[in-house]
Amino acid sequence: MRRLEADVHLWQIFRSYLRVGLLTEMEYRINFWINLIQSLLSAAVALGALAVVFGQTDNLGGWTPAEMIALLGVYYIIGALIRVIIRPSMTQFMEDVRKGTLDFTLVKPADAQWLISVQKVEIWQLMDLVIGIGLLGLALQRMGERVGLQQAFIFGVTLLAGGLIVYSFWLILSTFAFWFVRVDNIQVIFTSLYEAGRWPITIYPGWLRMMLTFLVPVAFATTVPAQAFTGRLEPGLMLGALALAAFMLIVARLFWRYGLRAYSGASA
Amino acid sequence: MSADPLITVRNLRKTYTVSERPPGVGAALRSLIRRQSREIHAVDGISFDVAPGEIIGFLGPNGAGKTTTLKMLAGLLHPTGGDARVLGFQPWRREKEYLRRMTLVMGQRNQLVWDIPVIDSFELNRAIYQIPDGQYAATVALLTDLLELDPLLHKPVRNLSLGERMKCEIAGALLHQPQVLFLDEPTIGLDVTMQRRIRGFLAEYNRRTNATILLTSHYMADVEALCKRVVVIHHGTLLYDGDLAGLAARFSPFKTVEVEVPKGAGADWSQFGEVIARTDGMVSLRIPKGETAAVTGRLLAQFDVADLTVQDPPIEDVIEQVFQEKLRIEE
């Protein structure tokens, strides 16, 4: 019962930040159009690139055009999660460390990790989510298949795991702000590595594939859910993705707490 | 005063390790490999108690350890040693039950969301503190009334003046009806009228709710108006803990004597004491405390005195003197 109340509290907090995000974006309505155009352009360019590639070949590392479109869809959906919540919130967190306003967050009677993780929502970036879902629909149509209930479930689970993995990874990077104060550049590195996720992990050379799977787990964020969507996920990988997500969440949590302790001088 | 203290602080200490390096590129590069560090005793063994409903002022020059002490009591910093209890909690454990009953206002920093109307920022705090609807409405109404927030609530924070923003910041920090308020320079940078407003509000709020208030300020006027009791901190140690009047009595070895004499009554005033100010018909003298009685006796005997007052010097001067004396001793 207490657990449930705590969850309701977290949800209420998230909803309030969502509201603040909406109100903020209403103050800058032009951003809506800018983001719309930007998202449409980038999706068009990405699809164009696919068209060029598949003009030369009908199979890219074992992926058909329709499957590649599905991958692009997943790439946009996870990208939306990053751009709507993760990146704005983590950027705000680093700024709060630098300016000392993190103190306000730390005296609040709610989980500080949760507060910093959802504290800034950039609603208009949701456009990428719409585009991502649209791309998945397009892929379905091209594949000419229906997605069964089981397949949809596996896709949902791997997508969730992918989102959690990206979040945990980003939180770990941001936590370094407690020691180094300015770590904005780390975010740029992750953003460019995530770019690699728009292509299937299988096309990269072995060393890079290893890196994108285990060091920066981009593979689990895009390739794996896309495989699930197109019904070609090796059994067991779903559990692998879930296990990795759980593991990274725990590591991120522990590291966050360690950073917080260092920040308040408890471990000194 | 039989009430149990609401805050107890015992031998509280905080030591920072700071890295330093000599100037120059070469030294900067060397420091990448080997960092030189030094310990700074920001708070060095402070003890005091605060009773429920008290307003207590922390005084001290920059870097004296006021803010560090306040931050430990607010749970933001872990002490290096010693102990403190606020409302029965050890602050730095940051238990939710404790955080729900205290608040923090920092004059130099804002927590309200810049781009949205004030009232919407309040809504955010309402969700975080889980304030029940009825209580929330009543508190907002009360604070709106006391701080005259009515014209401000629906404006985006970025459109407010510094003083208006501070009023809203304070209101936002009080929505959950905290019992303990930590205020770090709440009036900094505000004009005199606004300072007075905020002071008046704090006094009124304390009277109505019996909330306990700890505040640091650079403005003596804040402290004089609000705090019956002051704690003077210097170099991390407690220099004085008591009422304001006692501070003057204890640290100022002088009294100020003002004499009103008939116009044109000339004399060599310096034989009575140090002349601070002099106009035709009015003289201010600084006189060692022990000689006050004798000197006033002589003044009354020699001149046709229209009026004579003996005062403690302005509290601001006393404080300044205390810190200067202390510095001289240390040097």
Side-chain angles (χ1 to χ4, degrees):
Chain A
M1 202 56 208
R2 283 195 64 143
R3 182 70 247 164
L4 183 70
E5 275 170 38
D7 289 344
V8 168
H9 186 205
L10 293 184
W11 167 246
Q12 284 170 338
I13 289 173
F14 177 59
R15 219 179 40 190
S16 296
Y17 278 117
L18 213 60
R19 186 169 173 274
V20 168
L22 199 64
L23 288 166
T24 307
E25 304 266 20
M26 287 302 173
E27 294 281 317
Y28 302 100
R29 256 164 290 197
I30 184 75
N31 279 352
F32 168 79
W33 298 105
I34 293 175
N35 277 309
L36 178 68
I37 292 167
Q38 196 185 335
S39 298
L40 286 175
L41 266 181
S42 97
V45 168
L47 282 174
L50 280 187
V52 169
V53 169
F54 285 107
Q56 310 291 319
T57 172
D58 53 6
N59 177 315
L60 184 70
W63 291 64
T64 65
E67 289 169 343
M68 281 299 296
I69 293 174
L71 176 68
L72 203 58
V74 173
Y75 173 80
Y76 270 91
I77 290 174
I78 297 285
L81 173 72
I82 293 176
R83 279 188 283 275
V84 173
I85 303 176
I86 300 181
R87 195 174 59 192
S89 293
M90 297 293 173
T91 305
Q92 175 78 49
F93 159 69
M94 292 180 196
E95 204 181 307
D96 284 346
V97 172
R98 199 161 46 80
K99 284 169 35 185
T101 35
L102 185 68
D103 289 351
F104 288 122
T105 308
L106 298 182
V107 297
K108 294 283 188 296
D111 185 70
Q113 182 192 333
W114 181 254
L115 286 178
I116 66 118
S117 299
V118 301
Q119 64 182 335
K120 196 134 198 247
V121 184
E122 291 186 1
I123 296 279
W124 296 148
Q125 304 277 0
L126 274 176
M127 210 57 72
D128 283 356
L129 181 67
V130 177
I131 287 178
I133 292 170
L135 286 170
L136 287 185
L138 184 63
L140 268 190
Q141 189 213 341
R142 296 281 298 256
M143 288 191 296
E145 279 175 41
R146 293 189 49 213
V147 175
L149 205 59
Q150 191 191 353
Q151 200 177 330
F153 173 75
I154 296 177
F155 170 65
V157 169
T158 49
L159 193 66
L160 179 73
L164 289 176
I165 288 168
V166 168
Y167 162 72
S168 306
F169 194 77
W170 209 298
L171 179 63
I172 291 171
L173 293 184
S174 307
T175 300
F176 280 105
F178 283 128
W179 293 276
F180 303 114
V181 183
R182 291 215 72 137
V183 286
D184 317 24
N185 295 331
I186 295 187
Q187 300 210 37
V188 177
I189 294 173
F190 182 84
T191 310
S192 30
L193 282 172
Y194 182 70
E195 286 277 313
R198 70 164 64 206
W199 303 101
I201 204 78
T202 43
I203 66 164
Y204 295 110
W207 64 272
L208 192 55
R209 205 184 311 157
M210 291 298 279
M211 215 180 101
L212 291 175
T213 308
F214 297 109
L215 195 63
V216 186
V218 168
F220 283 95
T222 57
T223 305
V224 170
Q227 284 173 334
F229 187 79
T230 56
R232 34 181 288 173
L233 188 72
E234 287 170 40
L237 255 186
M238 180 185 91
L239 291 179
L242 265 184
L244 182 68
F247 173 74
M248 286 198 59
L249 263 184
I250 292 170
V251 170
R253 174 84 180 165
L254 291 176
F255 188 55
W256 160 261
R257 304 232 327 219
Y258 178 72
L260 203 54
R261 284 172 49 119
Y263 182 71
S264 64
S267 59
Chain B
M1 291 282 275
S2 61
D4 284 337
L6 189 108
I7 301 176
T8 54
V9 177
R10 290 291 171 273
N11 202 23
L12 202 62
R13 289 189 297 115
K14 179 73 191 175
T15 307
Y16 292 112
T17 310
V18 293
S19 50
E20 341 183 275
R21 59 165 205 246
V25 176
L29 288 176
R30 270 193 298 281
S31 78
L32 283 176
I33 297 160
R34 176 180 287 179
R35 293 202 139 191
Q36 300 228 329
S37 60
R38 187 164 64 97
E39 287 200 331
I40 291 183
H41 302 283
V43 175
D44 202 7
I46 283 181
S47 305
F48 60 89
D49 287 343
V50 181
E54 243 187 310
I55 306 184
I56 163 166
F58 278 41
L59 296 174
N62 287 329
K66 293 171 300 192
T67 303
T68 304
T69 306
L70 209 68
K71 279 189 164 188
M72 285 192 277
L73 293 179
L76 292 164
L77 286 176
H78 250 257
T80 314
D83 196 14
R85 295 295 153 103
V86 184
L87 295 159
F89 296 92
Q90 214 172 24
W92 42 91
R93 297 168 73 101
R94 279 208 286 270
E95 288 165 71
K96 285 186 185 142
E97 207 37 56
Y98 172 57
L99 298 177
R100 223 170 257 137
R101 290 163 68 183
M102 58 80 94
T103 201
L104 172 72
V105 174
M106 295 184 278
Q108 317 237 45
R109 294 166 192 166
N110 303 342
Q111 67 165 326
L112 300 178
V113 184
W114 192 246
D115 282 320
I116 61 171
V118 175
I119 191 76
D120 290 309
S121 272
F122 286 3
E123 288 285 340
L124 193 58
N125 274 357
R126 169 196 193 167
I128 292 173
Y129 285 100
Q130 298 175 289
I131 307 168
D133 290 358
Q135 183 192 327
Y136 176 78
T139 313
V140 171
L142 174 72
L143 292 170
T144 303
D145 184 37
L146 289 180
L147 281 165
E148 294 162 14
L149 299 181
D150 220 17
L152 311 179
L153 286 180
H154 297 279
K155 285 188 193 169
V157 174
R158 64 167 190 274
N159 291 350
L160 301 180
S161 73
L162 190 63
E164 292 171 336
R165 210 187 306 153
M166 200 58 220
K167 289 204 295 187
C168 296
E169 284 282 338
I170 291 176
L174 295 176
L175 295 172
H176 58 291
Q177 302 185 342
Q179 289 163 273
V180 186
L181 282 57
F182 297 107
L183 313 176
D184 194 13
E185 314 211 4
T187 55
I188 196 157
L190 305 184
D191 64 49
V192 179
T193 321
M194 192 56 86
Q195 283 182 23
R196 202 177 300 137
R197 256 298 151 68
I198 288 189
R199 244 175 255 148
F201 165 76
L202 290 174
E204 175 70 12
Y205 186 82
N206 167 264
R207 201 180 58 72
R208 285 187 185 221
T209 64
N210 202 37
T212 307
I213 304 177
L214 264 73
L215 81 109
T216 71
S217 180
H218 270 105
Y219 303 113
M220 272 317 296
D222 282 352
V223 178
E224 273 181 290
L226 287 172
C227 312
K228 290 195 189 66
R229 178 177 163 208
V230 294
V231 167
V232 181
I233 297 176
H234 193 47
H235 285 216
T237 57
L238 202 138
L239 219 60
Y240 176 80
D241 177 0
D243 61 9
L244 260 179
L247 182 68
R250 163 117 174 251
F251 286 101
S252 181
F254 298 101
K255 292 260 183 193
T256 305
V257 174
E258 272 187 5
V259 212
E260 206 182 321
V261 290
K263 295 204 173 189
D268 178 14
W269 296 107
S270 62
Q271 59 170 306
F272 298 102
E274 187 187 335
V275 181
I276 308 170
R278 182 176 174 187
T279 54
D280 196 20
M282 182 73 107
V283 184
S284 287
L285 301 165
R286 195 204 316 262
I287 293 163
K289 219 185 269 178
E291 297 169 25
T292 320
V295 171
T296 44
R298 271 163 58 207
L299 283 166
L300 290 169
Q302 286 185 26
F303 300 98
D304 183 14
V305 173
D307 193 11
L308 183 146
T309 57
V310 180
Q311 290 172 329
D312 282 321
I315 200 74
E316 218 143 309
D317 295 355
V318 176
I319 301 271
E320 201 177 315
Q321 217 174 333
V322 170
F323 295 140
Q324 276 172 1
E325 295 275 309
K326 188 76 182 162
L327 283 177
R328 219 172 294 141
I329 293 164
E330 275 156 11
E331 279 161 10

